[in-house]
Short mmCIF file of all heavy atoms in Angstrom, two decimals:
data_model
loop_
_atom_site.label_atom_id
_atom_site.label_comp_id
_atom_site.label_asym_id
_atom_site.label_seq_id
_atom_site.Cartn_x
_atom_site.Cartn_y
_atom_site.Cartn_z
N MET A 288 107.26 108.83 88.65
CA MET A 288 107.67 110.17 88.14
C MET A 288 107.21 110.33 86.71
O MET A 288 106.90 109.37 86.02
CB MET A 288 109.20 110.26 88.16
CG MET A 288 109.91 109.20 87.30
SD MET A 288 111.59 109.63 86.85
CE MET A 288 111.33 110.82 85.58
N VAL A 499 96.00 96.06 100.85
CA VAL A 499 96.46 95.54 99.57
C VAL A 499 95.63 96.19 98.48
O VAL A 499 94.41 96.33 98.66
CB VAL A 499 96.37 94.02 99.54
CG1 VAL A 499 96.75 93.47 98.20
CG2 VAL A 499 97.30 93.46 100.64
N PHE A 500 96.23 96.52 97.37
CA PHE A 500 95.56 97.33 96.34
C PHE A 500 95.37 96.51 95.08
O PHE A 500 96.21 95.72 94.68
CB PHE A 500 96.38 98.56 96.02
CG PHE A 500 96.52 99.49 97.21
CD1 PHE A 500 97.53 99.24 98.14
CD2 PHE A 500 95.72 100.58 97.38
CE1 PHE A 500 97.70 100.05 99.24
CE2 PHE A 500 95.88 101.41 98.44
CZ PHE A 500 96.85 101.15 99.41
N GLU A 501 94.29 96.83 94.40
CA GLU A 501 94.02 96.22 93.08
C GLU A 501 93.44 97.29 92.17
O GLU A 501 92.40 97.90 92.52
CB GLU A 501 93.05 95.02 93.26
CG GLU A 501 93.53 93.80 92.53
CD GLU A 501 92.80 92.53 92.91
OE1 GLU A 501 93.12 92.00 94.00
OE2 GLU A 501 91.96 92.08 92.17
N VAL A 502 94.05 97.53 91.08
CA VAL A 502 93.60 98.58 90.15
C VAL A 502 93.18 97.94 88.83
O VAL A 502 93.91 97.17 88.24
CB VAL A 502 94.74 99.60 89.88
CG1 VAL A 502 94.25 100.70 88.94
CG2 VAL A 502 95.23 100.17 91.19
N GLU A 504 91.15 98.71 85.03
CA GLU A 504 90.61 99.71 84.12
C GLU A 504 89.13 99.49 83.95
O GLU A 504 88.66 98.34 83.87
CB GLU A 504 91.32 99.60 82.77
CG GLU A 504 92.78 100.03 82.83
CD GLU A 504 93.45 100.08 81.46
OE1 GLU A 504 92.92 100.80 80.60
OE2 GLU A 504 94.46 99.40 81.26
N ARG A 514 91.93 96.36 99.73
CA ARG A 514 91.54 95.17 100.49
C ARG A 514 92.16 95.16 101.88
O ARG A 514 93.39 95.38 102.03
CB ARG A 514 92.04 93.98 99.67
CG ARG A 514 91.58 92.65 100.13
CD ARG A 514 92.31 91.60 99.33
NE ARG A 514 93.52 91.17 99.94
CZ ARG A 514 94.52 90.56 99.34
NH1 ARG A 514 94.45 90.30 98.05
NH2 ARG A 514 95.60 90.22 99.98
N LYS A 600 95.66 128.91 103.28
CA LYS A 600 97.10 129.13 103.42
C LYS A 600 97.44 130.47 104.07
O LYS A 600 98.49 130.63 104.67
CB LYS A 600 97.78 129.01 102.04
CG LYS A 600 97.48 130.10 101.04
CD LYS A 600 98.24 129.84 99.74
CE LYS A 600 98.03 130.97 98.77
NZ LYS A 600 98.73 130.71 97.49
N SER A 601 96.50 131.43 103.98
CA SER A 601 96.81 132.73 104.56
C SER A 601 96.80 132.71 106.10
O SER A 601 97.30 133.60 106.75
CB SER A 601 95.83 133.81 104.05
OG SER A 601 94.58 133.63 104.63
N ASP A 603 97.72 129.70 107.71
CA ASP A 603 98.41 128.43 107.98
C ASP A 603 97.41 127.32 108.32
O ASP A 603 97.69 126.41 109.11
CB ASP A 603 99.41 128.56 109.11
CG ASP A 603 100.72 129.23 108.62
OD1 ASP A 603 101.10 128.99 107.46
OD2 ASP A 603 101.33 129.98 109.43
N TYR A 604 96.23 127.37 107.67
CA TYR A 604 95.24 126.32 107.76
C TYR A 604 94.78 126.10 109.22
O TYR A 604 94.33 125.06 109.58
CB TYR A 604 95.73 125.02 107.18
CG TYR A 604 96.23 125.19 105.74
CD1 TYR A 604 97.61 125.42 105.50
CD2 TYR A 604 95.37 125.25 104.65
CE1 TYR A 604 98.09 125.62 104.20
CE2 TYR A 604 95.85 125.48 103.36
CZ TYR A 604 97.19 125.64 103.15
OH TYR A 604 97.65 125.88 101.87
N SER A 633 100.69 122.61 99.70
CA SER A 633 102.09 122.74 100.15
C SER A 633 103.06 122.16 99.12
O SER A 633 104.27 122.42 99.17
CB SER A 633 102.26 122.00 101.51
OG SER A 633 102.39 120.61 101.31
N MET A 634 102.53 121.38 98.16
CA MET A 634 103.39 120.81 97.13
C MET A 634 103.84 121.89 96.16
O MET A 634 104.70 121.64 95.28
CB MET A 634 102.64 119.70 96.37
CG MET A 634 102.29 118.52 97.25
SD MET A 634 100.89 117.57 96.58
CE MET A 634 101.73 116.34 95.64
N PRO A 636 102.29 125.27 93.47
CA PRO A 636 101.17 125.39 92.52
C PRO A 636 101.07 124.24 91.53
O PRO A 636 99.99 123.75 91.21
CB PRO A 636 101.42 126.71 91.80
CG PRO A 636 102.31 127.47 92.75
CD PRO A 636 103.10 126.48 93.48
N THR A 641 108.98 115.28 88.29
CA THR A 641 110.25 114.67 87.90
C THR A 641 111.02 114.24 89.13
O THR A 641 111.93 113.46 89.07
CB THR A 641 111.14 115.61 87.05
OG1 THR A 641 111.55 116.70 87.88
CG2 THR A 641 110.44 116.13 85.83
N LYS A 642 110.64 114.79 90.27
CA LYS A 642 111.39 114.56 91.52
C LYS A 642 110.76 113.50 92.44
O LYS A 642 111.37 113.14 93.43
CB LYS A 642 111.59 115.85 92.27
CG LYS A 642 112.71 116.70 91.70
CD LYS A 642 113.03 117.91 92.55
CE LYS A 642 113.48 117.59 93.95
NZ LYS A 642 114.86 117.07 94.08
N GLU A 643 109.54 113.11 92.15
CA GLU A 643 108.87 112.24 93.11
C GLU A 643 109.42 110.82 93.11
O GLU A 643 110.05 110.38 92.10
CB GLU A 643 107.35 112.22 92.81
CG GLU A 643 107.03 111.60 91.49
CD GLU A 643 105.59 111.80 91.07
OE1 GLU A 643 104.82 112.45 91.76
OE2 GLU A 643 105.23 111.24 90.00
N ASN A 644 109.19 110.13 94.16
CA ASN A 644 109.59 108.70 94.28
C ASN A 644 108.36 107.86 94.58
O ASN A 644 108.01 107.59 95.71
CB ASN A 644 110.59 108.55 95.45
CG ASN A 644 111.94 109.12 95.09
OD1 ASN A 644 112.64 108.61 94.23
ND2 ASN A 644 112.29 110.23 95.68
N LEU A 645 107.67 107.47 93.51
CA LEU A 645 106.48 106.67 93.71
C LEU A 645 106.84 105.24 94.07
O LEU A 645 107.93 104.74 93.80
CB LEU A 645 105.64 106.63 92.43
CG LEU A 645 105.11 107.99 91.95
CD1 LEU A 645 104.19 107.83 90.74
CD2 LEU A 645 104.36 108.72 93.04
N SER A 647 105.09 101.04 94.70
CA SER A 647 104.12 100.22 93.94
C SER A 647 102.67 100.46 94.37
O SER A 647 101.73 100.29 93.58
CB SER A 647 104.49 98.74 94.08
OG SER A 647 104.43 98.36 95.43
N ASN A 650 100.07 102.77 92.35
CA ASN A 650 99.77 102.37 91.00
C ASN A 650 98.44 102.94 90.47
O ASN A 650 98.27 103.03 89.26
CB ASN A 650 99.73 100.85 90.85
CG ASN A 650 100.95 100.34 90.10
OD1 ASN A 650 101.14 100.62 88.93
ND2 ASN A 650 101.83 99.65 90.79
N HIS A 657 98.78 107.21 83.09
CA HIS A 657 98.99 106.40 81.86
C HIS A 657 97.76 106.46 80.96
O HIS A 657 97.85 106.69 79.75
CB HIS A 657 99.23 104.95 82.30
CG HIS A 657 99.08 103.90 81.24
ND1 HIS A 657 100.02 103.64 80.28
CD2 HIS A 657 98.03 103.04 81.00
CE1 HIS A 657 99.56 102.68 79.50
NE2 HIS A 657 98.39 102.28 79.91
N ALA A 695 87.13 87.88 93.17
CA ALA A 695 87.69 89.12 92.66
C ALA A 695 86.61 90.22 92.83
O ALA A 695 85.46 89.97 92.50
CB ALA A 695 88.05 88.97 91.22
N GLN A 697 86.05 92.84 91.20
CA GLN A 697 85.44 93.35 89.97
C GLN A 697 84.36 92.44 89.44
O GLN A 697 83.55 92.86 88.66
CB GLN A 697 86.51 93.67 88.91
CG GLN A 697 87.37 92.52 88.53
CD GLN A 697 88.62 92.45 89.39
OE1 GLN A 697 88.55 92.65 90.58
NE2 GLN A 697 89.76 92.14 88.81
N GLU A 698 84.37 91.16 89.89
CA GLU A 698 83.29 90.26 89.50
C GLU A 698 82.24 90.22 90.57
O GLU A 698 81.05 90.41 90.32
CB GLU A 698 83.85 88.86 89.30
CG GLU A 698 84.56 88.67 87.98
CD GLU A 698 85.08 87.26 87.83
OE1 GLU A 698 84.40 86.30 88.33
OE2 GLU A 698 86.16 87.11 87.24
N ARG A 701 80.41 93.50 90.73
CA ARG A 701 80.15 94.09 89.43
C ARG A 701 78.85 94.94 89.47
O ARG A 701 78.82 96.07 89.03
CB ARG A 701 79.99 93.01 88.36
CG ARG A 701 79.86 93.55 86.96
CD ARG A 701 79.60 92.42 85.96
NE ARG A 701 80.60 91.38 86.03
CZ ARG A 701 81.76 91.37 85.39
NH1 ARG A 701 82.08 92.41 84.65
NH2 ARG A 701 82.61 90.38 85.52
N SER B 39 100.98 134.65 106.01
CA SER B 39 101.39 133.48 106.77
C SER B 39 102.58 132.81 106.04
O SER B 39 102.82 133.06 104.86
CB SER B 39 100.26 132.48 106.88
OG SER B 39 100.04 131.88 105.61
N SER B 41 102.65 129.72 105.18
CA SER B 41 102.13 128.86 104.15
C SER B 41 101.86 129.64 102.88
O SER B 41 102.18 129.17 101.76
CB SER B 41 100.88 128.15 104.62
OG SER B 41 101.15 127.28 105.69
N ALA B 42 101.28 130.83 103.02
CA ALA B 42 100.98 131.63 101.84
C ALA B 42 102.23 131.95 101.08
O ALA B 42 102.32 131.95 99.83
CB ALA B 42 100.24 132.89 102.26
N ASN B 45 103.99 128.40 99.66
CA ASN B 45 103.30 127.61 98.65
C ASN B 45 103.35 128.26 97.27
O ASN B 45 102.82 127.72 96.31
CB ASN B 45 101.81 127.46 99.02
CG ASN B 45 101.63 126.61 100.27
OD1 ASN B 45 102.58 126.12 100.81
ND2 ASN B 45 100.38 126.46 100.67
N ARG B 53 113.32 124.95 95.86
CA ARG B 53 113.35 123.56 96.37
C ARG B 53 114.72 122.95 96.02
O ARG B 53 115.26 123.17 94.96
CB ARG B 53 112.25 122.76 95.72
CG ARG B 53 110.88 123.17 96.21
CD ARG B 53 109.82 122.21 95.78
NE ARG B 53 108.57 122.56 96.44
CZ ARG B 53 107.64 121.71 96.85
NH1 ARG B 53 107.84 120.41 96.64
NH2 ARG B 53 106.55 122.10 97.45
N VAL B 54 115.17 122.15 96.98
CA VAL B 54 116.49 121.51 96.79
C VAL B 54 116.42 120.61 95.56
O VAL B 54 115.48 119.81 95.41
CB VAL B 54 116.85 120.71 98.07
CG1 VAL B 54 118.13 119.92 97.82
CG2 VAL B 54 117.00 121.66 99.24
N GLU B 56 118.95 118.53 94.56
CA GLU B 56 119.75 117.31 94.65
C GLU B 56 118.87 116.07 94.54
O GLU B 56 117.73 116.07 95.04
CB GLU B 56 120.47 117.28 96.03
CG GLU B 56 121.54 118.33 96.16
CD GLU B 56 122.80 118.00 95.37
OE1 GLU B 56 123.23 116.81 95.47
OE2 GLU B 56 123.30 118.88 94.66
N ASP B 58 117.26 112.78 95.60
CA ASP B 58 116.98 112.28 96.94
C ASP B 58 116.72 110.79 96.98
O ASP B 58 116.11 110.25 97.90
CB ASP B 58 115.81 113.04 97.56
CG ASP B 58 114.61 113.03 96.66
OD1 ASP B 58 114.58 112.27 95.69
OD2 ASP B 58 113.64 113.80 96.96
N SER B 59 117.14 110.11 95.94
CA SER B 59 116.95 108.65 95.94
C SER B 59 117.97 108.00 95.04
O SER B 59 118.53 108.64 94.15
CB SER B 59 115.56 108.28 95.45
OG SER B 59 115.40 108.68 94.12
N ARG B 62 115.98 102.04 92.44
CA ARG B 62 115.60 100.79 93.09
C ARG B 62 115.92 99.62 92.13
O ARG B 62 115.85 99.75 90.92
CB ARG B 62 114.10 100.78 93.35
CG ARG B 62 113.74 101.47 94.65
CD ARG B 62 112.28 101.78 94.71
NE ARG B 62 111.98 102.95 93.85
CZ ARG B 62 110.79 103.51 93.79
NH1 ARG B 62 109.79 103.02 94.48
NH2 ARG B 62 110.60 104.55 93.04
N ASP B 171 86.64 87.51 81.41
CA ASP B 171 86.70 87.86 82.81
C ASP B 171 87.15 86.67 83.68
O ASP B 171 87.91 86.80 84.61
CB ASP B 171 85.34 88.33 83.33
CG ASP B 171 85.03 89.75 82.82
OD1 ASP B 171 85.95 90.37 82.25
OD2 ASP B 171 83.87 90.17 82.95
N SER B 175 90.38 86.49 85.97
CA SER B 175 90.14 86.18 87.37
C SER B 175 91.04 85.03 87.83
O SER B 175 91.56 85.06 88.97
CB SER B 175 88.68 85.79 87.53
OG SER B 175 88.31 86.01 88.85
N LEU B 178 94.45 86.41 88.25
CA LEU B 178 94.46 87.25 89.46
C LEU B 178 94.59 86.41 90.71
O LEU B 178 95.31 86.74 91.65
CB LEU B 178 93.21 88.09 89.53
CG LEU B 178 93.23 89.42 88.74
CD1 LEU B 178 91.85 90.03 88.75
CD2 LEU B 178 94.23 90.39 89.35
N ARG B 182 97.18 87.27 93.53
CA ARG B 182 96.65 88.04 94.67
C ARG B 182 97.27 87.69 96.01
O ARG B 182 97.59 88.58 96.81
CB ARG B 182 95.15 87.95 94.67
CG ARG B 182 94.48 88.91 95.65
CD ARG B 182 92.99 88.82 95.58
NE ARG B 182 92.43 89.37 94.37
CZ ARG B 182 91.67 88.72 93.52
NH1 ARG B 182 91.33 87.45 93.78
NH2 ARG B 182 91.18 89.28 92.44
N SER B 185 100.76 89.57 96.45
CA SER B 185 101.05 90.93 95.98
C SER B 185 100.46 92.02 96.80
O SER B 185 99.32 91.93 97.23
CB SER B 185 100.47 91.06 94.53
OG SER B 185 100.91 90.00 93.72
N LEU B 186 101.26 93.01 97.04
CA LEU B 186 100.77 94.23 97.75
C LEU B 186 99.92 95.05 96.84
O LEU B 186 99.09 95.80 97.26
CB LEU B 186 101.99 95.00 98.25
CG LEU B 186 101.75 96.24 99.10
CD1 LEU B 186 101.01 95.86 100.41
CD2 LEU B 186 103.06 96.95 99.45
N MET B 187 100.20 94.95 95.56
CA MET B 187 99.48 95.71 94.54
C MET B 187 99.30 94.87 93.30
O MET B 187 100.24 94.24 92.83
CB MET B 187 100.27 97.00 94.24
CG MET B 187 99.92 97.72 92.96
SD MET B 187 98.23 98.39 92.94
CE MET B 187 98.44 99.92 93.82
N VAL B 188 98.05 94.84 92.84
CA VAL B 188 97.79 94.12 91.57
C VAL B 188 97.14 95.09 90.62
O VAL B 188 96.23 95.83 90.99
CB VAL B 188 96.86 92.91 91.77
CG1 VAL B 188 96.63 92.19 90.47
CG2 VAL B 188 97.42 91.95 92.81
N VAL B 189 97.58 95.12 89.37
CA VAL B 189 97.02 95.99 88.37
C VAL B 189 96.59 95.14 87.20
O VAL B 189 97.36 94.25 86.77
CB VAL B 189 98.02 97.06 87.87
CG1 VAL B 189 97.39 97.97 86.86
CG2 VAL B 189 98.57 97.84 89.02
N VAL B 190 95.40 95.40 86.68
CA VAL B 190 94.99 94.76 85.43
C VAL B 190 95.03 95.86 84.35
O VAL B 190 94.32 96.87 84.44
CB VAL B 190 93.54 94.21 85.54
CG1 VAL B 190 93.18 93.51 84.24
CG2 VAL B 190 93.46 93.22 86.67
N LYS B 192 95.25 97.12 80.21
CA LYS B 192 94.85 96.72 78.87
C LYS B 192 95.92 96.98 77.81
O LYS B 192 95.83 96.50 76.69
CB LYS B 192 93.56 97.46 78.44
CG LYS B 192 92.37 96.98 79.26
CD LYS B 192 91.08 97.53 78.72
CE LYS B 192 89.88 97.17 79.57
NZ LYS B 192 89.68 95.71 79.68
N TYR B 196 101.74 99.93 79.47
CA TYR B 196 101.62 100.24 80.88
C TYR B 196 102.87 99.82 81.65
O TYR B 196 103.29 100.48 82.60
CB TYR B 196 100.38 99.61 81.52
CG TYR B 196 100.26 99.95 82.94
CD1 TYR B 196 99.98 101.26 83.31
CD2 TYR B 196 100.53 99.06 83.96
CE1 TYR B 196 99.92 101.66 84.64
CE2 TYR B 196 100.48 99.42 85.30
CZ TYR B 196 100.17 100.73 85.62
OH TYR B 196 100.16 101.13 86.92
N ASP B 199 105.35 102.52 81.38
CA ASP B 199 104.98 103.69 82.22
C ASP B 199 105.13 103.39 83.69
O ASP B 199 105.61 104.24 84.45
CB ASP B 199 103.50 104.07 81.91
CG ASP B 199 103.34 104.84 80.60
OD1 ASP B 199 104.41 105.12 80.00
OD2 ASP B 199 102.24 105.10 80.18
N MET B 200 104.79 102.17 84.09
CA MET B 200 104.89 101.84 85.50
C MET B 200 106.36 101.81 85.92
O MET B 200 106.73 102.38 86.94
CB MET B 200 104.25 100.48 85.75
CG MET B 200 104.31 100.05 87.19
SD MET B 200 103.52 98.44 87.40
CE MET B 200 103.95 98.05 89.09
N THR B 202 108.89 103.22 84.52
CA THR B 202 109.45 104.59 84.45
C THR B 202 109.02 105.40 85.68
O THR B 202 109.84 106.10 86.29
CB THR B 202 109.00 105.32 83.17
OG1 THR B 202 109.33 104.47 82.07
CG2 THR B 202 109.67 106.65 83.03
N SER B 203 107.76 105.26 86.04
CA SER B 203 107.25 105.98 87.23
C SER B 203 107.98 105.53 88.49
O SER B 203 108.14 106.34 89.41
CB SER B 203 105.74 105.67 87.41
OG SER B 203 105.02 106.22 86.36
N ARG B 205 111.00 104.70 88.58
CA ARG B 205 112.45 104.98 88.35
C ARG B 205 113.25 103.70 88.16
O ARG B 205 114.38 103.57 88.66
CB ARG B 205 113.06 105.82 89.49
CG ARG B 205 112.43 107.16 89.68
CD ARG B 205 113.09 107.90 90.82
NE ARG B 205 112.53 109.22 90.99
CZ ARG B 205 112.93 110.30 90.30
NH1 ARG B 205 113.93 110.16 89.43
NH2 ARG B 205 112.41 111.46 90.50
#
Side-chain angles (χ1 to χ4, degrees):
Chain A
M288 61 159 284
V499 174
F500 298 81
E501 228 166 282
V502 181
E504 293 187 56
R514 188 186 91 197
K600 68 180 185 182
S601 73
D603 282 326
Y604 307 95
S633 79
M634 297 158 92
T641 66
K642 280 189 60 76
E643 66 190 3
N644 288 291
L645 298 185
S647 60
N650 254 295
H657 163 79
Q697 57 271 40
E698 282 181 35
R701 188 187 305 276
Chain B
S39 73
S41 295
N45 293 358
R53 290 191 172 213
V54 174
E56 291 285 312
D58 53 11
S59 63
R62 277 164 284 186
D171 286 350
S175 202
L178 276 172
R182 190 177 288 125
S185 308
L186 185 61
M187 163 64 81
V188 182
V189 182
V190 182
K192 290 190 184 300
Y196 182 68
D199 283 354
M200 179 180 173
T202 306
S203 295
R205 298 179 177 277

